[in-house]
Amino acid sequence: MSPWIAPPSPTWVGELDRRAPVADLAVDRHFTAARLLVTAGGAPVGILELPLVAGHASAADIGSALEAQLGALPDPPPPPWSTEPVTVVVATRGRPQSLERCVRALLAGDHADITVLVVDNDPTDDGTATVVRGIDDPRVRYVLEPRRGASVGRNRGLQEASTAIVAFTDDDTEPDRSWAGRIAGAFAAHPELACVSGPVLAARLATPEELAADTALAWNKGFERRHYSLADPPANSAIFPFSPGLFGIGANLAVRTDVAEAVGGFDEALGPGSPTHGGEDCEFLVRLVLADHVVGYEPAAWVWHHHRTNPAALRKQLEGYAVGLGGFLTKIALDRHARSAAVRRLPAAVAQLRHIAGRESDAGAGMPPGSAKLRLRGLASGPWAYLRARRVARRAGGRVPPLVAPPAPAPPRQPVTLTR
């Protein structure tokens, strides 16, 4: 039996433990489909898609769909877990309600030793500070950062953190309750890892824009544990390591603090709040790989992301990502150490851009009109945006680390004393 393919219609999002008895599903009548994250013992198995009739599916129908779509997949091993302290940095600006939802989800998690740093970037009011005061939890710290930008906020969080592991998420996410413990567990189980990312799943799919964003952005990288390094390149990426999105995204990212500082932190000329609007997370991950570090993907450490719900917001987001990608490509072109390696991958990169264009064209009615032109315009403006953002960041004393660190100078030669 072939898996049922969900049409672009209001889709209810939830979870299903396949080790538990299956019950009827009854949700709001306007939902005509459901998407369920299927788990086994807390570990993700896959995604189940099924139709709803007036918001309803029987236990028998759910069981049949589960067997048809995921029945052949074995239960994954237990997720990794560690009690090592974790600092979570949430850089934010002007979205207090969304931030509160994110922070409360973090505090509701089952990791006992978590510190949440809310970095308020260049605020226009006291809304974010008021939310943090209202939460009134000693595990949450408010940090005022006068400069704007997600990269600036993340770097400030790195400076403020006192733990060996720092995780990053965005103010429009709801991390799973086991997210922090499983991130710490991934580092504990694999000491060679410098960085860990995980799935970013749609929290809601009720509007055409949310459905379109979920297809176009493709943030869920699946449920297979993976490691990436120069010594062990993946067979399925012809542009590795210059692979935007392959390793994960900034909404679900964790690093060893000392490694992140050693490579220079995030490039403050890239990312939301800068003229480039994006690209900071993929640049950071590529820079880690180029510095001969190992980055990992842990499928059991997922977050739920609230996609844009209206045409204007989605249009702005997609254009921003295109500008950020153009800025990231410009940084590669400007780096003489990376440029020659990247040029050899140019045909594969063009093919990858075509793949992205095809994915966006299939994203449904919620995509903004003229999205192809929007992407091309964003890519074309990326170089100028990055050059301008780099000047602004440097003048402000910000971080703009090279994509490939220059080789360390050779130690001075010691004088040789000749003896008879």
Side-chain angles (χ1 to χ4, degrees), residues 44-189:
V45 177
I47 296 292
L48 176 67
E49 307 264 11
L50 69 154
L52 301 179
V53 178
H56 181 267
S58 69
D61 289 340
I62 296 172
S64 296
L66 183 61
E67 179 61 29
Q69 296 181 36
L70 300 175
L73 294 177
D75 283 358
W81 180 265
S82 173
T83 58
E84 182 173 355
V86 175
T87 298
V88 182
V89 175
V90 186
T92 186
R93 185 177 189 267
R95 300 202 292 192
Q97 293 177 334
S98 180
L99 171 75
E100 181 174 9
R101 180 181 61 205
C102 173
V103 173
R104 290 196 182 278
L106 287 166
L107 297 178
D110 52 14
H111 190 279
D113 199 346
I114 185 174
T115 300
V116 181
L117 293 182
V118 175
V119 182
D120 196 2
N121 288 84
D122 184 28
T124 58
D125 56 39
D126 64 351
T128 297
T130 300
V131 162
V132 174
R133 285 196 300 269
I135 292 173
D136 191 25
D137 191 301
R139 295 173 292 172
V140 184
R141 284 179 50 202
Y142 174 84
V143 179
L144 176 63
E145 169 52 56
R147 292 188 297 133
R148 189 180 305 186
S151 291
V152 174
R154 289 170 183 161
N155 285 338
R156 178 67 183 273
L158 282 170
Q159 293 174 344
E160 297 280 341
S162 58
T163 56
I165 298 172
V166 175
F168 303 94
T169 193
D170 293 342
D171 60 15
D172 51 6
T173 71
E174 290 182 82
D176 175 69
R177 67 188 307 270
S178 296
W179 177 69
R182 291 175 180 175
I183 280 175
F187 284 111

Side-chain angles (χ1 to χ4, degrees), residues 224-245:
E224 178 185 352
R225 185 173 293 118
R226 298 186 296 273
H227 292 175
Y228 300 99
S229 69
L230 289 178
D232 187 20
N236 60 348
S237 178
I239 59 175
F240 179 86
F242 308 102
S243 313

Side-chain angles (χ1 to χ4, degrees), residues 182-416:
R182 291 175 180 175
I183 280 175
F187 284 111
H190 303 281
E192 74 277 12
L193 289 179
C195 179
V196 173
S197 67
V200 178
L201 308 174
R204 279 173 35 100
L205 293 170
T207 69
E209 289 74 26
E210 289 171 323
L211 288 158
D214 191 59
T215 298
L217 299 174
W219 282 344
N220 177 17
K221 307 302 178 183
F223 302 109
E224 178 185 352
R225 185 173 293 118
R226 298 186 296 273
H227 292 175
Y228 300 99
S229 69
L230 289 178
D232 187 20
N236 60 348
S237 178
I239 59 175
F240 179 86
F242 308 102
S243 313
L246 175 67
F247 312 117
I249 67 169
N252 186 358
L253 198 65
V255 295
R256 295 192 188 275
T257 312
D258 57 345
V259 173
E261 290 288 6
V263 300
F266 290 86
D267 186 342
E268 295 175 11
L270 292 167
S274 77
T276 56
H277 305 295
E280 82 296 344
D281 42 6
C282 71
E283 187 276 337
F284 177 72
L285 287 160
V286 169
R287 182 155 31 96
L288 282 173
V289 174
L290 290 173
D292 213 20
H293 292 293
V294 182
V295 302
Y297 180 84
E298 174 48 59
W302 69 82
V303 303
W304 299 98
H305 183 269
H306 290 265
H307 294 331
R308 305 299 188 264
T309 58
N310 64 77
L314 179 57
R315 182 182 183 87
K316 181 178 179 181
Q317 182 184 35
L318 292 173
E319 184 173 18
Y321 287 157
V323 176
L325 177 57
F328 167 61
L329 296 175
T330 302
K331 181 165 185 175
I332 294 174
L334 292 173
D335 193 300
R336 64 185 182 88
H337 299 284
R339 186 168 54 236
S340 59
V343 166
R344 295 195 298 271
R345 294 161 173 80
L346 188 58
V350 172
Q352 179 68 14
L353 289 174
R354 288 175 178 165
H355 172 74
I356 294 172
R359 187 178 66 212
E360 291 182 0
S361 67
D362 293 335
M367 285 294 287
S371 57
K373 291 182 179 178
L374 193 73
R375 183 179 59 258
L376 291 174
R377 186 166 65 242
L379 283 168
S381 63
W384 309 112
Y386 180 70
L387 293 173
R388 179 162 59 93
R390 191 171 63 169
R391 288 195 298 271
V392 171
R394 285 173 172 168
R395 287 171 182 168
R399 301 190 190 188
V400 186
L403 187 61
V404 179
R413 291 187 177 184
Q414 298 297 321
V416 178

